Amino acid sequence: MPVFGPFQFPAPRRSARGSWIGTADGLEARVAPGAGIAFTTVATGKIRRSKNPLKMASPANVRDMARVPLGVLQARRAIDQFRPDVVLATGGYVAVPAGLAARMCHRPLVLHEQTVRLGLANRKLAASAARICVSSESTLGLPSESARALAVVTGNPVRPEMLSGQTDRAVQALGLSGFDRRLPTVYVTGGAQGSQQINELVGESAQWLLQRANVIHQCGPANEAGLRARAAGLPAELAARYYLAGFVGGELPDVLALADVVVSRSGAGTLAELTALGKPAVFVPLASSAGNEQVHNARHLEQAGAAVALTGEVTAGQLQTAVGPLLADAQVRRGMAERARAYGRPDAADRLVDEVLAAAAGQPVTAGTGQRGEPSLPR
């Protein structure tokens, strides 16, 4: 989680010095130093959730929770040394020590919730927050009454490059000469490592899909060889419309620009990108996600007619039933795209920055509205 300050505002630009607090084995330990951001490691503990209270008191949970006080002391030391104007917590168990330390050091704390439901860490830190930034209007009613007055809808930031993809660049970069541009294109992804569940559904449905669409399938590096062997049995005409990749990297913005329908998991980042772009989606949520958040994310958009959610033990037949109407009718795709775009916030990063600056300036949120006045920026 980042801490920011001291702030300097040489007109007309704003600049800030930042530091990141995280765990030694987390992704941030590699990304932050690589981006030139100061990084501090703290101890923390992960709660392994269960509906059985006895399992919640497992040795692993007890051991991890015993690490939290040490993490708080480490985070407090880091904040005392850095002296930030504001602390931003983005949820997850690593946010707890730093959030508690921010309160102890009397530094304003801004929470950001990426999913449609408040995560456990943000719920625990809400009482200490100066602002609670949420990604969806529907989240505003979830905090306690006192915390609700601090809630502001910012959306979930999307990388700027995701908004500037070009379809022709995708065709050229991936060599999609066999694609039939008269047909819609489906992008299938289970994330960087792939999803065994989604791969199996698409593998079983490959011939059916390719009779109706072009398919770009990111399957995860470990799954590529098996799926490529399976695809070898496809008729040549259909195989030409199937692009299989272990990983789609820098081409992703262009691939999403080309895609007419996306089949994917329903993590917070995926929802932010697809709604900002206005992409019709069929979600197959990860059932084991913390707090069942992916299911809630997918159902939230489904209820708005902005996506289709397939939960539980999904079959290839169910996938085909969900995708079929979108492939058959461009008007159905356009309608879902418009409803998805209505939930998108491509300016979420700017909104979140404004709230962080406002908190640093001591600007209060207008009570009960989820809005704030213009910040009085520090000088």
Side-chain angles (χ1 to χ4, degrees):
M1 56 175 287
V3 292
F4 295 110
F7 282 113
Q8 297 176 336
F9 297 99
R13 297 187 179 185
R14 305 169 178 174
S15 64
R17 186 166 58 91
S19 180
W20 200 282
I21 295 174
T23 60
D25 57 354
L27 178 63
E28 63 271 19
R30 300 191 302 275
V31 174
I37 300 171
F39 181 75
T40 301
T41 297
V42 299
T44 190
K46 177 180 180 180
I47 296 180
R48 296 153 187 84
R49 304 184 195 188
S50 173
K51 294 180 180 179
N52 185 339
L54 295 177
K55 291 184 178 180
M56 288 291 289
S58 67
N61 275 350
V62 171
R63 182 175 60 251
D64 273 12
M65 288 304 97
R67 292 166 53 84
V68 173
L70 173 59
V72 173
L73 291 175
Q74 292 171 329
R76 181 173 182 175
R77 187 182 304 118
I79 290 173
D80 277 337
Q81 291 175 351
F82 188 69
R83 300 182 62 80
D85 292 294
V86 63
V87 176
L88 171 64
T90 56
Y93 56 91
V94 71
V96 174
L100 294 175
R103 180 177 182 176
M104 296 167 68
C105 295
H106 306 289
R107 303 290 170 174
L109 173 65
V110 177
L111 304 182
H112 181 252
E113 181 55 62
Q114 301 172 46
T115 68
V116 298
R117 292 166 64 90
L118 281 180
L120 180 60
N122 281 341
R123 292 201 304 272
K124 297 300 182 185
L125 293 172
S128 303
R131 277 219 183 12
I132 302 172
C133 299
V134 299
S135 298
S136 169
E137 295 279 351
S138 65
T139 315
L140 288 174
L142 297 179
S144 65
E145 186 174 350
S146 58
R148 201 173 302 156
L150 303 174
V152 182
V153 180
T154 61
N156 195 15
V158 174
R159 292 169 291 170
E161 60 267 26
M162 299 304 296
L163 307 175
S164 59
Q166 297 180 23
T167 58
D168 290 340
R169 254 188 346 218
V171 172
Q172 184 175 13
L174 301 183
L176 307 179
S177 58
F179 274 28
D180 185 342
R181 298 294 295 274
R182 295 169 298 180
L183 296 176
T185 295
V186 178
Y187 176 51
V188 178
T189 176
Q193 301 304 315
S195 158
Q196 191 62 42
Q197 181 187 23
I198 292 177
N199 288 343
E200 189 60 30
L201 291 172
V202 171
E204 292 179 19
S205 304
Q207 190 153 331
W208 181 92
L209 281 169
L210 292 165
Q211 288 169 349
R212 296 161 174 81
N214 308 297
V215 176
I216 300 173
H217 183 182
Q218 176 182 285
C219 62
N223 307 309
E224 185 176 357
L227 284 167
R228 201 167 292 284
R230 189 171 189 171
L234 290 169
E237 179 185 356
L238 300 185
R241 296 203 287 265
Y242 184 45
Y243 179 86
L244 180 67
F247 179 71
V248 174
E251 308 90 356
L252 181 57
D254 300 323
V255 167
L256 286 175
L258 179 62
D260 298 289
V261 178
V262 177
V263 177
S264 73
R265 294 299 200 195
S266 49
T270 298
L271 260 68
E273 292 171 353
L274 296 185
T275 56
L277 293 168
K279 292 294 175 179
V282 175
F283 292 127
V284 185
L286 177 65
S288 61
S289 60
N292 217 21
E293 66 180 31
Q294 288 207 12
V295 172
H296 293 298
N297 289 345
R299 286 178 175 166
H300 172 68
L301 285 188
E302 182 179 56
Q303 288 167 2
V308 179
L310 300 177
T311 60
E313 296 295 328
V314 183
T315 66
Q318 288 174 309
L319 176 67
Q320 294 167 22
T321 298
V323 175
L326 293 169
L327 300 183
D329 192 334
Q331 186 59 39
V332 173
R333 293 197 298 275
R334 281 193 290 269
M336 185 174 285
E338 289 173 5
R339 291 187 289 274
R341 193 174 292 110
Y343 278 81
R345 295 185 183 272
D347 61 344
D350 289 336
R351 288 171 177 253
L352 182 57
V353 167
D354 285 345
E355 296 304 328
V356 170
L357 293 175
Q363 175 68 42
V365 178
T366 303
T369 66
Q371 301 293 329
R372 62 168 176 85
E374 289 298 316
S376 174
L377 298 178
R379 299 179 179 180

